Amino acid sequence: MNAHDNGAVITARGLTKRFGDLVAVDGLDLDVRRAEVHGFLGPNGSGKSTTIRMLCGLLAPSAGDIRVLGHPLPRDAETVKRSIGYMTQKFSLYDDLSVHENLEFLAAVHGLRGAQARRRLDAMLERYRLGDLRRQLAGTMSGGQKQRLALAGAVMHEPELLLLDEPTSAVDPQSRRDFWDALFDLAEAGTTLLVSTHYMDEAERCHRLAILDHGRLVADGSPQELMANLPGSTLQVQCAETRRVQRALAAETHVLGVAQIGSSLRVLTDRRDGIDWLRERVRAIDASALVETVAANLEDVFVAATRAHGQSTEDAT
Ligand SMILES: Nc1ncnc2c1ncn2[C@@H]1O[C@H](COP(=O)(O)OP(=O)(O)OP(=O)(O)O)[C@@H](O)[C@H]1O
């Protein structure tokens, strides 16, 4: 049984990419299962785009094995490219072609002809609410409209696997929600999706999540599993001297993250006895402070998983 048969649409083992002395992706193991929406999270420069480009067959790895849809990469890159769709944060269609012309061009690129091409084009215009915009030049559309056109273009040839690199970075919250609804429609119809994002609300919607840091996989699981298995404690502090307490806690080695949310502080510590330990620390500064345990969220998971290095790769380089 190969990776394609057992439900894994993407299997990567020991995937590595070096750019000179920089190890952008470092020994990554990843399995993406059929019809799942698999989220890809990580600080700036953690290697998400580089990984996605290798999984598309656009970039050759320095080391490691990749199978996509049962095919080894980069050997079968040309075959794989016909069965996958790829969309990046940068609008990659032609600004000076209309919506219809852009889709027509993509249909031709993917070998769709005649009545088949027309049927598919009409279906895309309708599904992605582009019918009224069909004659508009792509360059004059709003961010949300461009993104719908880019998605229509990426799925024109009905790919089995869709790789999306920060597809919602330039659109408003309602457009992001609509876009994610479209992604779930695709998953329900059997398409497998790997989506990188910096938005926690999007990450929360994924079936599974992989978190990268400095090119390494630092967490992998369903959002629920990752939140339930978060080591340490998540706490809320209410006090009068919020800024002073925050500065003091930020200097503590056991504090992985401290952020002001409204008038209280949200504190993530790696200590199991976090509440007693934190109460003592905080009350030494502000005797009236209240400390309570709160449920962990995905941002806590992200902070805990990526905190070991203290700053993003981009900052470090
Ligand atoms: N062609 C290249 N040549 C040299 N270095 C590169 C190249 N492509 C990427 N890098 C470096 O590899 C590292 C990982 O970059 P990558 O774009 O994969 O990160 P990312 O997680 O997608 O970041 P972001 O969230 O900012 O998009 C960065 O340090 C980047 O500068």
Side-chain angles (χ1 to χ4, degrees), residues 91 99 130 133 136-147 149-150:
F91 185 63
V99 166
L130 295 165
L133 306 170
Q136 188 165 338
L137 293 184
T140 64
M141 297 197 304
S142 73
Q145 290 167 342
K146 277 186 180 169
Q147 183 207 41
L149 176 58

Side-chain angles (χ1 to χ4, degrees), residues 17-20 22-25 41-53 59 89 165-166 196-198 212 215 313-314 317:
K17 183 68 192 179
R18 293 186 204 95
F19 295 111
L22 175 80
V23 187
V25 178
L41 285 179
N44 291 130
S46 56
K48 302 179 297 296
S49 301
T50 304
T51 302
I52 290 177
R53 289 170 62 215
L59 189 67
Q89 53 195 296
D165 193 1
E166 290 178 42
S196 74
T197 180
H198 285 294
L212 278 191
T313 315
E314 205 171 64
T317 51

Side-chain angles (χ1 to χ4, degrees), residues 185-219:
D185 286 342
L186 287 163
E188 194 180 67
T191 312
T192 307
L193 295 102
L194 180 65
V195 191
S196 74
T197 180
H198 285 294
Y199 295 108
M200 293 301 147
D201 61 325
E202 294 186 348
E204 211 159 328
R205 300 182 69 175
C206 296
H207 296 115
R208 282 180 76 80
L209 280 178
I211 305 181
L212 278 191
D213 191 33
H214 290 70
R216 296 198 195 102
L217 187 70
V218 290

